[in-house]
Amino acid sequence: MIAVLDTGAVSALAPVDEACRARLRALWNAVDAIEVPAAVLAEGVVTGHPGRDHHVRRLLRSIAVIDIDEFLGLAAGRMRHRVATSGSKADPSGGDAVVAAVADQRASVDDVIVITGDAVDLQALLAGATHTERVSITSV
Amino acid sequence: MAALGAWLDELDAEHGAPSEEATAAAVEWLRGAVPASRGALPASGADATSERTPKAGRAAKAARTRPGHAGAARTPKTSAARQ
């Protein structure tokens, strides 16, 4: 299983306290890989708080930060456009869409769990995914 | 993943391992994951296979609403050319 994190997940899983550490350990035990698309970093995972930022940066060095190529970028755009024109109340960001696109791509070869701070938007995006049946979502 | 495991071991050595309660709560949190659902969007949602970009969609809409303009007939070609 592969875990794909969004901005909220990176912030929430940075092991600044016992509960966060326990969650990160549980995730580490459950999956084979933890990935975060590089585009997520643009949404501001580093906030200027020295203690938290230290843990966030160390977390990012300990997991896989995924480059976004043209294929994934276009896939994310299609997923976001679909939500925007569907009448859904969800309003996913570009970062959310990239997370969904990476999750969908990874789901072509393995089960995927998306860890997110915005399950509504991710659910809406993944409703149009190719491999929806292999993706699950959990909120932080 | 090995690097993350080593860091978590390092943190446990420094602060002590998370309590049984915290560990159980974390496992329960992870088990709470829900399947992504194709039904998460309204049935009236847009075609999931559409390749049309938002900009092309706006252009097509403008063409269709312009009096006497045959833009609608050209829209598929315009969209295809953008891909």
Side-chain angles (χ1 to χ4, degrees), chain A residues 15 18 21-23 25 28 32 55 58 78 81-82 85-86 88 123 127 129-130 132-133 135-139, chain B residues 1 4-5 7-10 12 16 18-19 22 26 29-30 33-34 36-38 40-41 46 48 51-52 54:
Chain A
E18 182 187 29
R21 221 157 17 101
R23 283 188 171 192
R25 173 72 79 177
W28 182 80
D32 301 305
H55 285 86
R58 182 80 186 261
R78 283 195 297 273
H81 178 65
R82 179 180 182 274
T85 57
S86 68
S88 167
Q123 186 68 263
T130 305
T132 302
E133 68 283 353
V135 182
S136 58
I137 301 170
T138 193
S139 297
Chain B
M1 288 297 278
L4 180 57
W7 183 34
L8 287 168
D9 289 344
E10 186 183 312
D12 285 354
S19 66
W29 160 72
L30 205 51
V34 297
S37 168
R38 291 190 189 281
L41 283 176
E51 298 282 334
R52 197 174 67 184

mmCIF file of all heavy atoms in Angstrom, chain A residues 15 18 21-23 25 28 32 55 58 78 81-82 85-86 88 123 127 129-130 132-133 135-139, chain B residues 1 4-5 7-10 12 16 18-19 22 26 29-30 33-34 36-38 40-41 46 48 51-52 54:
data_model
loop_
_atom_site.group_PDB
_atom_site.id
_atom_site.type_symbol
_atom_site.label_atom_id
_atom_site.label_comp_id
_atom_site.label_asym_id
_atom_site.label_seq_id
_atom_site.Cartn_x
_atom_site.Cartn_y
_atom_site.Cartn_z
ATOM 1 N N PRO A 15 5.796 14.874 13.623
ATOM 2 C CA PRO A 15 5.682 14.286 14.971
ATOM 3 C C PRO A 15 6.091 15.231 16.102
ATOM 4 O O PRO A 15 7.069 15.011 16.808
ATOM 5 C CB PRO A 15 6.614 13.078 14.884
ATOM 6 C CG PRO A 15 7.648 13.482 13.884
ATOM 7 C CD PRO A 15 6.949 14.346 12.879
ATOM 8 N N GLU A 18 3.025 13.363 21.076
ATOM 9 C CA GLU A 18 2.848 11.913 21.160
ATOM 10 C C GLU A 18 1.800 11.397 20.182
ATOM 11 O O GLU A 18 1.996 10.370 19.519
ATOM 12 C CB GLU A 18 2.455 11.529 22.591
ATOM 13 C CG GLU A 18 2.291 10.037 22.787
ATOM 14 C CD GLU A 18 1.748 9.700 24.165
ATOM 15 O OE1 GLU A 18 1.003 10.530 24.735
ATOM 16 O OE2 GLU A 18 2.075 8.607 24.660
ATOM 17 N N ARG A 21 3.161 11.447 16.682
ATOM 18 C CA ARG A 21 4.170 10.396 16.546
ATOM 19 C C ARG A 21 3.525 9.022 16.418
ATOM 20 O O ARG A 21 3.955 8.187 15.626
ATOM 21 C CB ARG A 21 5.082 10.433 17.780
ATOM 22 C CG ARG A 21 6.519 10.234 17.478
ATOM 23 C CD ARG A 21 7.471 10.787 18.536
ATOM 24 N NE ARG A 21 6.941 11.087 19.838
ATOM 25 C CZ ARG A 21 7.075 10.312 20.918
ATOM 26 N NH1 ARG A 21 7.692 9.145 20.827
ATOM 27 N NH2 ARG A 21 6.612 10.693 22.082
ATOM 28 N N ALA A 22 2.472 8.814 17.199
ATOM 29 C CA ALA A 22 1.773 7.521 17.150
ATOM 30 C C ALA A 22 1.110 7.322 15.792
ATOM 31 O O ALA A 22 1.128 6.227 15.227
ATOM 32 C CB ALA A 22 0.738 7.455 18.271
ATOM 33 N N ARG A 23 0.527 8.383 15.247
ATOM 34 C CA ARG A 23 -0.110 8.274 13.928
ATOM 35 C C ARG A 23 0.925 7.998 12.837
ATOM 36 O O ARG A 23 0.702 7.196 11.944
ATOM 37 C CB ARG A 23 -0.882 9.558 13.599
ATOM 38 C CG ARG A 23 -2.198 9.667 14.322
ATOM 39 C CD ARG A 23 -2.996 10.844 13.803
ATOM 40 N NE ARG A 23 -4.348 10.834 14.355
ATOM 41 C CZ ARG A 23 -5.337 11.601 13.911
ATOM 42 N NH1 ARG A 23 -5.119 12.467 12.939
ATOM 43 N NH2 ARG A 23 -6.534 11.530 14.433
ATOM 44 N N ARG A 25 3.796 6.580 13.209
ATOM 45 C CA ARG A 25 4.280 5.207 13.387
ATOM 46 C C ARG A 25 3.262 4.209 12.837
ATOM 47 O O ARG A 25 3.626 3.237 12.168
ATOM 48 C CB ARG A 25 4.545 4.942 14.871
ATOM 49 C CG ARG A 25 4.888 3.505 15.208
ATOM 50 C CD ARG A 25 6.256 3.091 14.745
ATOM 51 N NE ARG A 25 7.309 3.569 15.636
ATOM 52 C CZ ARG A 25 8.605 3.279 15.457
ATOM 53 N NH1 ARG A 25 8.991 2.538 14.434
ATOM 54 N NH2 ARG A 25 9.525 3.753 16.277
ATOM 55 N N TRP A 28 3.499 4.292 9.137
ATOM 56 C CA TRP A 28 4.752 3.652 8.712
ATOM 57 C C TRP A 28 4.612 2.127 8.779
ATOM 58 O O TRP A 28 5.109 1.405 7.911
ATOM 59 C CB TRP A 28 5.893 4.124 9.613
ATOM 60 C CG TRP A 28 7.233 3.573 9.250
ATOM 61 C CD1 TRP A 28 8.061 3.997 8.259
ATOM 62 C CD2 TRP A 28 7.904 2.490 9.895
ATOM 63 N NE1 TRP A 28 9.207 3.242 8.237
ATOM 64 C CE2 TRP A 28 9.140 2.311 9.224
ATOM 65 C CE3 TRP A 28 7.593 1.652 10.961
ATOM 66 C CZ2 TRP A 28 10.049 1.328 9.597
ATOM 67 C CZ3 TRP A 28 8.507 0.674 11.332
ATOM 68 C CH2 TRP A 28 9.719 0.525 10.657
ATOM 69 N N ASP A 32 3.866 0.659 2.445
ATOM 70 C CA ASP A 32 5.195 0.378 1.896
ATOM 71 C C ASP A 32 5.921 1.655 1.481
ATOM 72 O O ASP A 32 7.143 1.652 1.341
ATOM 73 C CB ASP A 32 5.051 -0.530 0.667
ATOM 74 C CG ASP A 32 4.370 -1.834 1.019
ATOM 75 O OD1 ASP A 32 4.845 -2.521 1.933
ATOM 76 O OD2 ASP A 32 3.335 -2.158 0.394
ATOM 77 N N HIS A 55 10.410 19.666 12.349
ATOM 78 C CA HIS A 55 9.824 18.330 12.181
ATOM 79 C C HIS A 55 9.246 18.138 10.779
ATOM 80 O O HIS A 55 9.315 17.047 10.217
ATOM 81 C CB HIS A 55 8.751 18.094 13.247
ATOM 82 C CG HIS A 55 9.317 17.824 14.606
ATOM 83 N ND1 HIS A 55 9.652 18.833 15.486
ATOM 84 C CD2 HIS A 55 9.639 16.671 15.229
ATOM 85 C CE1 HIS A 55 10.144 18.295 16.596
ATOM 86 N NE2 HIS A 55 10.141 16.979 16.467
ATOM 87 N N ARG A 58 12.164 17.549 8.447
ATOM 88 C CA ARG A 58 12.729 16.209 8.656
ATOM 89 C C ARG A 58 11.790 15.147 8.096
ATOM 90 O O ARG A 58 12.243 14.157 7.505
ATOM 91 C CB ARG A 58 12.959 16.000 10.169
ATOM 92 C CG ARG A 58 13.582 14.673 10.545
ATOM 93 C CD ARG A 58 15.084 14.653 10.339
ATOM 94 N NE ARG A 58 15.629 13.327 10.582
ATOM 95 C CZ ARG A 58 16.216 12.964 11.715
ATOM 96 N NH1 ARG A 58 16.389 13.831 12.692
ATOM 97 N NH2 ARG A 58 16.690 11.730 11.871
ATOM 98 N N ARG A 78 -7.556 17.880 -15.404
ATOM 99 C CA ARG A 78 -8.825 17.273 -15.841
ATOM 100 C C ARG A 78 -9.706 16.939 -14.648
ATOM 101 O O ARG A 78 -10.924 17.172 -14.660
ATOM 102 C CB ARG A 78 -8.550 16.006 -16.652
ATOM 103 C CG ARG A 78 -8.102 16.271 -18.080
ATOM 104 C CD ARG A 78 -8.202 15.013 -18.910
ATOM 105 N NE ARG A 78 -7.314 13.950 -18.440
ATOM 106 C CZ ARG A 78 -6.036 13.815 -18.816
ATOM 107 N NH1 ARG A 78 -5.509 14.673 -19.651
ATOM 108 N NH2 ARG A 78 -5.306 12.817 -18.361
ATOM 109 N N HIS A 81 -11.097 20.189 -13.237
ATOM 110 C CA HIS A 81 -12.104 20.748 -14.147
ATOM 111 C C HIS A 81 -13.417 19.984 -14.017
ATOM 112 O O HIS A 81 -14.506 20.576 -14.040
ATOM 113 C CB HIS A 81 -11.585 20.676 -15.580
ATOM 114 C CG HIS A 81 -12.562 21.171 -16.595
ATOM 115 N ND1 HIS A 81 -12.979 22.476 -16.642
ATOM 116 C CD2 HIS A 81 -13.216 20.532 -17.597
ATOM 117 C CE1 HIS A 81 -13.845 22.625 -17.631
ATOM 118 N NE2 HIS A 81 -14.004 21.457 -18.221
ATOM 119 N N ARG A 82 -13.316 18.685 -13.880
ATOM 120 C CA ARG A 82 -14.520 17.867 -13.755
ATOM 121 C C ARG A 82 -15.322 18.272 -12.515
ATOM 122 O O ARG A 82 -16.545 18.401 -12.572
ATOM 123 C CB ARG A 82 -14.143 16.384 -13.673
ATOM 124 C CG ARG A 82 -15.343 15.465 -13.505
ATOM 125 C CD ARG A 82 -14.892 14.010 -13.429
ATOM 126 N NE ARG A 82 -16.023 13.125 -13.311
ATOM 127 C CZ ARG A 82 -16.592 12.801 -12.170
ATOM 128 N NH1 ARG A 82 -16.124 13.296 -11.051
ATOM 129 N NH2 ARG A 82 -17.635 11.998 -12.137
ATOM 130 N N THR A 85 -17.022 21.714 -12.909
ATOM 131 C CA THR A 85 -18.169 21.781 -13.827
ATOM 132 C C THR A 85 -19.264 20.793 -13.454
ATOM 133 O O THR A 85 -20.209 20.606 -14.215
ATOM 134 C CB THR A 85 -17.708 21.500 -15.269
ATOM 135 O OG1 THR A 85 -17.067 20.224 -15.317
ATOM 136 C CG2 THR A 85 -16.760 22.578 -15.770
ATOM 137 N N SER A 86 -19.131 20.169 -12.291
ATOM 138 C CA SER A 86 -20.086 19.114 -11.935
ATOM 139 C C SER A 86 -21.270 19.618 -11.123
ATOM 140 O O SER A 86 -22.241 18.906 -10.935
ATOM 141 C CB SER A 86 -19.361 18.052 -11.108
ATOM 142 O OG SER A 86 -19.008 18.600 -9.845
ATOM 143 N N SER A 88 -20.795 20.256 -8.038
ATOM 144 C CA SER A 88 -20.403 19.895 -6.677
ATOM 145 C C SER A 88 -20.040 21.147 -5.891
ATOM 146 O O SER A 88 -19.562 22.135 -6.457
ATOM 147 C CB SER A 88 -19.203 18.944 -6.723
ATOM 148 O OG SER A 88 -18.628 18.819 -5.445
ATOM 149 N N GLN A 123 -12.394 13.569 -2.036
ATOM 150 C CA GLN A 123 -13.436 12.614 -2.441
ATOM 151 C C GLN A 123 -14.041 13.035 -3.781
ATOM 152 O O GLN A 123 -14.263 12.205 -4.663
ATOM 153 C CB GLN A 123 -14.521 12.553 -1.354
ATOM 154 C CG GLN A 123 -15.582 11.506 -1.569
ATOM 155 C CD GLN A 123 -15.079 10.074 -1.431
ATOM 156 O OE1 GLN A 123 -14.759 9.414 -2.407
ATOM 157 N NE2 GLN A 123 -15.017 9.592 -0.192
ATOM 158 N N ALA A 127 -13.605 10.897 -7.294
ATOM 159 C CA ALA A 127 -14.814 10.312 -7.882
ATOM 160 C C ALA A 127 -14.659 10.142 -9.385
ATOM 161 O O ALA A 127 -15.309 9.296 -9.989
ATOM 162 C CB ALA A 127 -16.018 11.190 -7.572
ATOM 163 N N ALA A 129 -11.686 9.447 -10.806
ATOM 164 C CA ALA A 129 -10.402 8.794 -11.064
ATOM 165 C C ALA A 129 -10.594 7.491 -11.842
ATOM 166 O O ALA A 129 -11.687 6.929 -11.872
ATOM 167 C CB ALA A 129 -9.693 8.520 -9.742
ATOM 168 N N THR A 130 -9.515 7.043 -12.430
ATOM 169 C CA THR A 130 -9.554 5.788 -13.194
ATOM 170 C C THR A 130 -9.554 4.579 -12.271
ATOM 171 O O THR A 130 -10.164 3.559 -12.574
ATOM 172 C CB THR A 130 -8.325 5.720 -14.127
ATOM 173 O OG1 THR A 130 -8.300 6.904 -14.932
ATOM 174 C CG2 THR A 130 -8.386 4.501 -15.030
ATOM 175 N N THR A 132 -10.457 4.444 -8.890
ATOM 176 C CA THR A 132 -11.128 4.834 -7.645
ATOM 177 C C THR A 132 -11.251 3.673 -6.660
ATOM 178 O O THR A 132 -11.080 3.849 -5.449
ATOM 179 C CB THR A 132 -12.542 5.378 -7.964
ATOM 180 O OG1 THR A 132 -12.411 6.475 -8.865
ATOM 181 C CG2 THR A 132 -13.253 5.827 -6.711
ATOM 182 N N GLU A 133 -11.518 2.485 -7.174
ATOM 183 C CA GLU A 133 -11.788 1.335 -6.302
ATOM 184 C C GLU A 133 -10.578 0.921 -5.481
ATOM 185 O O GLU A 133 -10.724 0.163 -4.512
ATOM 186 C CB GLU A 133 -12.303 0.156 -7.135
ATOM 187 C CG GLU A 133 -11.285 -0.473 -8.071
ATOM 188 C CD GLU A 133 -11.040 0.334 -9.341
ATOM 189 O OE1 GLU A 133 -11.747 1.333 -9.571
ATOM 190 O OE2 GLU A 133 -10.132 -0.024 -10.103
ATOM 191 N N VAL A 135 -8.534 3.170 -4.013
ATOM 192 C CA VAL A 135 -8.114 4.328 -3.208
ATOM 193 C C VAL A 135 -9.035 4.487 -2.010
ATOM 194 O O VAL A 135 -10.265 4.398 -2.143
ATOM 195 C CB VAL A 135 -8.152 5.626 -4.050
ATOM 196 C CG1 VAL A 135 -7.676 6.818 -3.213
ATOM 197 C CG2 VAL A 135 -7.279 5.491 -5.296
ATOM 198 N N SER A 136 -8.453 4.707 -0.865
ATOM 199 C CA SER A 136 -9.230 5.077 0.319
ATOM 200 C C SER A 136 -8.701 6.407 0.849
ATOM 201 O O SER A 136 -7.594 6.822 0.515
ATOM 202 C CB SER A 136 -9.162 3.978 1.404
ATOM 203 O OG SER A 136 -7.822 3.737 1.765
ATOM 204 N N ILE A 137 -9.535 7.044 1.653
ATOM 205 C CA ILE A 137 -9.233 8.400 2.120
ATOM 206 C C ILE A 137 -9.401 8.455 3.628
ATOM 207 O O ILE A 137 -10.390 7.939 4.153
ATOM 208 C CB ILE A 137 -10.186 9.418 1.468
ATOM 209 C CG1 ILE A 137 -10.064 9.378 -0.062
ATOM 210 C CG2 ILE A 137 -9.927 10.826 1.974
ATOM 211 C CD1 ILE A 137 -11.140 10.178 -0.782
ATOM 212 N N THR A 138 -8.466 9.093 4.289
ATOM 213 C CA THR A 138 -8.649 9.322 5.720
ATOM 214 C C THR A 138 -8.272 10.771 6.058
ATOM 215 O O THR A 138 -7.365 11.338 5.463
ATOM 216 C CB THR A 138 -7.841 8.321 6.572
ATOM 217 O OG1 THR A 138 -8.282 8.395 7.929
ATOM 218 C CG2 THR A 138 -6.359 8.591 6.531
ATOM 219 N N SER A 139 -9.003 11.335 6.975
ATOM 220 C CA SER A 139 -8.798 12.732 7.364
ATOM 221 C C SER A 139 -7.839 12.846 8.529
ATOM 222 O O SER A 139 -7.784 11.969 9.381
ATOM 223 C CB SER A 139 -10.139 13.361 7.771
ATOM 224 O OG SER A 139 -11.020 13.380 6.682
ATOM 225 N N MET B 1 11.623 4.807 3.437
ATOM 226 C CA MET B 1 10.883 4.315 4.596
ATOM 227 C C MET B 1 11.820 3.923 5.737
ATOM 228 O O MET B 1 11.487 4.075 6.892
ATOM 229 C CB MET B 1 10.001 3.129 4.181
ATOM 230 C CG MET B 1 8.812 3.519 3.330
ATOM 231 S SD MET B 1 7.657 4.595 4.176
ATOM 232 C CE MET B 1 6.706 3.423 5.124
ATOM 233 N N LEU B 4 12.607 6.992 7.680
ATOM 234 C CA LEU B 4 11.509 7.380 8.572
ATOM 235 C C LEU B 4 11.465 6.477 9.802
ATOM 236 O O LEU B 4 11.281 6.959 10.928
ATOM 237 C CB LEU B 4 10.183 7.326 7.812
ATOM 238 C CG LEU B 4 8.943 7.694 8.614
ATOM 239 C CD1 LEU B 4 9.066 9.086 9.217
ATOM 240 C CD2 LEU B 4 7.696 7.605 7.725
ATOM 241 N N GLY B 5 11.659 5.192 9.586
ATOM 242 C CA GLY B 5 11.674 4.257 10.715
ATOM 243 C C GLY B 5 12.780 4.592 11.695
ATOM 244 O O GLY B 5 12.578 4.571 12.918
ATOM 245 N N TRP B 7 14.160 7.481 12.168
ATOM 246 C CA TRP B 7 13.830 8.736 12.864
ATOM 247 C C TRP B 7 12.800 8.493 13.963
ATOM 248 O O TRP B 7 12.924 9.036 15.073
ATOM 249 C CB TRP B 7 13.312 9.757 11.851
ATOM 250 C CG TRP B 7 13.008 11.099 12.433
ATOM 251 C CD1 TRP B 7 13.662 11.726 13.453
ATOM 252 C CD2 TRP B 7 11.959 11.978 12.023
ATOM 253 N NE1 TRP B 7 13.100 12.955 13.696
ATOM 254 C CE2 TRP B 7 12.045 13.132 12.833
ATOM 255 C CE3 TRP B 7 10.967 11.916 11.050
ATOM 256 C CZ2 TRP B 7 11.167 14.203 12.709
ATOM 257 C CZ3 TRP B 7 10.102 12.985 10.917
ATOM 258 C CH2 TRP B 7 10.196 14.109 11.730
ATOM 259 N N LEU B 8 11.804 7.681 13.655
ATOM 260 C CA LEU B 8 10.795 7.381 14.672
ATOM 261 C C LEU B 8 11.428 6.655 15.865
ATOM 262 O O LEU B 8 11.078 6.934 17.023
ATOM 263 C CB LEU B 8 9.668 6.529 14.060
ATOM 264 C CG LEU B 8 8.721 7.284 13.128
ATOM 265 C CD1 LEU B 8 7.820 6.320 12.349
ATOM 266 C CD2 LEU B 8 7.873 8.287 13.913
ATOM 267 N N ASP B 9 12.366 5.760 15.586
ATOM 268 C CA ASP B 9 13.078 5.082 16.683
ATOM 269 C C ASP B 9 13.866 6.094 17.519
ATOM 270 O O ASP B 9 13.905 6.019 18.753
ATOM 271 C CB ASP B 9 14.034 4.029 16.106
ATOM 272 C CG ASP B 9 13.297 2.833 15.526
ATOM 273 O OD1 ASP B 9 12.093 2.658 15.837
ATOM 274 O OD2 ASP B 9 13.912 2.070 14.755
ATOM 275 N N GLU B 10 14.463 7.031 16.806
ATOM 276 C CA GLU B 10 15.240 8.085 17.475
ATOM 277 C C GLU B 10 14.332 8.922 18.391
ATOM 278 O O GLU B 10 14.689 9.233 19.539
ATOM 279 C CB GLU B 10 15.850 8.955 16.382
ATOM 280 C CG GLU B 10 16.807 10.020 16.803
ATOM 281 C CD GLU B 10 17.257 10.833 15.573
ATOM 282 O OE1 GLU B 10 17.620 10.225 14.555
ATOM 283 O OE2 GLU B 10 17.204 12.067 15.652
ATOM 284 N N ASP B 12 11.460 7.979 19.663
ATOM 285 C CA ASP B 12 11.007 7.135 20.775
ATOM 286 C C ASP B 12 12.077 7.042 21.856
ATOM 287 O O ASP B 12 11.774 7.058 23.059
ATOM 288 C CB ASP B 12 10.660 5.730 20.263
ATOM 289 C CG ASP B 12 9.337 5.695 19.503
ATOM 290 O OD1 ASP B 12 8.647 6.735 19.470
ATOM 291 O OD2 ASP B 12 8.999 4.636 18.943
ATOM 292 N N GLY B 16 10.431 8.592 24.673
ATOM 293 C CA GLY B 16 9.660 7.432 25.097
ATOM 294 C C GLY B 16 8.655 7.078 24.015
ATOM 295 O O GLY B 16 8.149 7.964 23.320
ATOM 296 N N PRO B 18 5.197 6.115 22.213
ATOM 297 C CA PRO B 18 3.818 6.554 22.484
ATOM 298 C C PRO B 18 3.091 5.548 23.389
ATOM 299 O O PRO B 18 3.354 4.348 23.323
ATOM 300 C CB PRO B 18 3.187 6.593 21.086
ATOM 301 C CG PRO B 18 4.323 6.799 20.151
ATOM 302 C CD PRO B 18 5.467 6.055 20.768
ATOM 303 N N SER B 19 2.211 6.051 24.227
ATOM 304 C CA SER B 19 1.460 5.196 25.145
ATOM 305 C C SER B 19 0.574 4.219 24.375
ATOM 306 O O SER B 19 0.306 4.408 23.173
ATOM 307 C CB SER B 19 0.590 6.068 26.046
ATOM 308 O OG SER B 19 -0.395 6.718 25.259
ATOM 309 N N ALA B 22 -2.368 6.108 22.974
ATOM 310 C CA ALA B 22 -2.070 6.891 21.765
ATOM 311 C C ALA B 22 -1.896 5.974 20.566
ATOM 312 O O ALA B 22 -2.351 6.281 19.456
ATOM 313 C CB ALA B 22 -0.807 7.729 21.984
ATOM 314 N N ALA B 26 -4.214 5.845 17.244
ATOM 315 C CA ALA B 26 -3.618 6.024 15.918
ATOM 316 C C ALA B 26 -4.034 4.898 14.974
ATOM 317 O O ALA B 26 -4.356 5.134 13.807
ATOM 318 C CB ALA B 26 -2.097 6.083 16.047
ATOM 319 N N TRP B 29 -7.559 5.454 14.015
ATOM 320 C CA TRP B 29 -7.623 6.540 13.019
ATOM 321 C C TRP B 29 -7.360 6.000 11.620
ATOM 322 O O TRP B 29 -8.090 6.294 10.682
ATOM 323 C CB TRP B 29 -6.602 7.614 13.377
ATOM 324 C CG TRP B 29 -6.236 8.509 12.231
ATOM 325 C CD1 TRP B 29 -7.011 9.478 11.658
ATOM 326 C CD2 TRP B 29 -5.007 8.502 11.488
ATOM 327 N NE1 TRP B 29 -6.332 10.075 10.615
ATOM 328 C CE2 TRP B 29 -5.112 9.495 10.489
ATOM 329 C CE3 TRP B 29 -3.823 7.755 11.588
ATOM 330 C CZ2 TRP B 29 -4.078 9.751 9.583
ATOM 331 C CZ3 TRP B 29 -2.797 8.020 10.696
ATOM 332 C CH2 TRP B 29 -2.934 9.005 9.708
ATOM 333 N N LEU B 30 -6.343 5.193 11.500
ATOM 334 C CA LEU B 30 -5.979 4.675 10.181
ATOM 335 C C LEU B 30 -7.058 3.728 9.657
ATOM 336 O O LEU B 30 -7.351 3.710 8.456
ATOM 337 C CB LEU B 30 -4.626 3.960 10.273
ATOM 338 C CG LEU B 30 -3.799 3.853 9.004
ATOM 339 C CD1 LEU B 30 -3.635 5.209 8.336
ATOM 340 C CD2 LEU B 30 -2.445 3.239 9.309
ATOM 341 N N ALA B 33 -10.247 4.942 7.518
ATOM 342 C CA ALA B 33 -10.208 5.357 6.107
ATOM 343 C C ALA B 33 -11.447 4.845 5.382
ATOM 344 O O ALA B 33 -11.895 3.720 5.614
ATOM 345 C CB ALA B 33 -8.944 4.822 5.444
ATOM 346 N N VAL B 34 -11.988 5.695 4.525
ATOM 347 C CA VAL B 34 -13.188 5.315 3.758
ATOM 348 C C VAL B 34 -12.810 5.184 2.282
ATOM 349 O O VAL B 34 -11.952 5.914 1.783
ATOM 350 C CB VAL B 34 -14.326 6.352 3.914
ATOM 351 C CG1 VAL B 34 -14.777 6.434 5.361
ATOM 352 C CG2 VAL B 34 -13.870 7.720 3.438
ATOM 353 N N ALA B 36 -12.667 5.713 -1.575
ATOM 354 C CA ALA B 36 -13.057 6.759 -2.522
ATOM 355 C C ALA B 36 -14.252 6.226 -3.308
ATOM 356 O O ALA B 36 -14.332 5.030 -3.583
ATOM 357 C CB ALA B 36 -11.894 7.089 -3.451
ATOM 358 N N SER B 37 -15.164 7.115 -3.635
ATOM 359 C CA SER B 37 -16.411 6.664 -4.252
ATOM 360 C C SER B 37 -16.684 7.392 -5.549
ATOM 361 O O SER B 37 -16.548 8.607 -5.635
ATOM 362 C CB SER B 37 -17.570 6.904 -3.277
ATOM 363 O OG SER B 37 -18.803 6.729 -3.930
ATOM 364 N N ARG B 38 -17.088 6.637 -6.557
ATOM 365 C CA ARG B 38 -17.475 7.268 -7.815
ATOM 366 C C ARG B 38 -18.776 8.040 -7.658
ATOM 367 O O ARG B 38 -19.122 8.849 -8.488
ATOM 368 C CB ARG B 38 -17.639 6.217 -8.913
ATOM 369 C CG ARG B 38 -16.347 5.588 -9.320
ATOM 370 C CD ARG B 38 -16.514 4.749 -10.555
ATOM 371 N NE ARG B 38 -15.307 3.982 -10.829
ATOM 372 C CZ ARG B 38 -14.228 4.490 -11.390
ATOM 373 N NH1 ARG B 38 -14.208 5.742 -11.753
ATOM 374 N NH2 ARG B 38 -13.165 3.745 -11.593
ATOM 375 N N ALA B 40 -19.427 10.198 -5.464
ATOM 376 C CA ALA B 40 -19.237 11.389 -4.640
ATOM 377 C C ALA B 40 -19.663 12.672 -5.338
ATOM 378 O O ALA B 40 -19.809 13.701 -4.715
ATOM 379 C CB ALA B 40 -17.784 11.504 -4.210
ATOM 380 N N LEU B 41 -19.857 12.619 -6.658
ATOM 381 C CA LEU B 41 -20.302 13.804 -7.389
ATOM 382 C C LEU B 41 -21.757 13.618 -7.802
ATOM 383 O O LEU B 41 -22.222 12.508 -7.971
ATOM 384 C CB LEU B 41 -19.448 13.999 -8.647
ATOM 385 C CG LEU B 41 -18.061 14.583 -8.427
ATOM 386 C CD1 LEU B 41 -17.314 14.630 -9.745
ATOM 387 C CD2 LEU B 41 -18.145 15.966 -7.837
ATOM 388 N N ALA B 46 -20.066 16.605 -15.009
ATOM 389 C CA ALA B 46 -19.544 16.673 -16.374
ATOM 390 C C ALA B 46 -18.936 15.344 -16.789
ATOM 391 O O ALA B 46 -18.635 14.490 -15.962
ATOM 392 C CB ALA B 46 -18.484 17.771 -16.451
ATOM 393 N N ALA B 48 -16.520 12.684 -17.389
ATOM 394 C CA ALA B 48 -15.232 12.465 -16.734
ATOM 395 C C ALA B 48 -14.107 12.299 -17.731
ATOM 396 O O ALA B 48 -12.943 12.450 -17.396
ATOM 397 C CB ALA B 48 -15.309 11.227 -15.841
ATOM 398 N N GLU B 51 -11.570 16.100 -22.286
ATOM 399 C CA GLU B 51 -10.202 16.627 -22.325
ATOM 400 C C GLU B 51 -10.231 18.144 -22.449
ATOM 401 O O GLU B 51 -9.189 18.782 -22.507
ATOM 402 C CB GLU B 51 -9.471 16.048 -23.543
ATOM 403 C CG GLU B 51 -9.330 14.535 -23.506
ATOM 404 C CD GLU B 51 -8.211 14.092 -22.584
ATOM 405 O OE1 GLU B 51 -7.283 14.874 -22.388
ATOM 406 O OE2 GLU B 51 -8.283 12.987 -22.058
ATOM 407 N N ARG B 52 -11.427 18.725 -22.524
ATOM 408 C CA ARG B 52 -11.527 20.153 -22.801
ATOM 409 C C ARG B 52 -10.995 20.965 -21.635
ATOM 410 O O ARG B 52 -11.277 20.673 -20.479
ATOM 411 C CB ARG B 52 -12.999 20.508 -23.050
ATOM 412 C CG ARG B 52 -13.172 21.833 -23.730
ATOM 413 C CD ARG B 52 -14.624 22.047 -24.065
ATOM 414 N NE ARG B 52 -15.431 22.207 -22.869
ATOM 415 C CZ ARG B 52 -16.754 22.335 -22.914
ATOM 416 N NH1 ARG B 52 -17.383 22.263 -24.049
ATOM 417 N NH2 ARG B 52 -17.448 22.490 -21.807
ATOM 418 N N PRO B 54 -10.597 24.459 -19.305
ATOM 419 C CA PRO B 54 -11.532 25.512 -18.918
ATOM 420 C C PRO B 54 -11.543 26.665 -19.916
ATOM 421 O O PRO B 54 -12.579 27.200 -20.257
ATOM 422 C CB PRO B 54 -10.995 25.950 -17.555
ATOM 423 C CG PRO B 54 -10.284 24.749 -17.030
ATOM 424 C CD PRO B 54 -9.680 24.085 -18.241
#
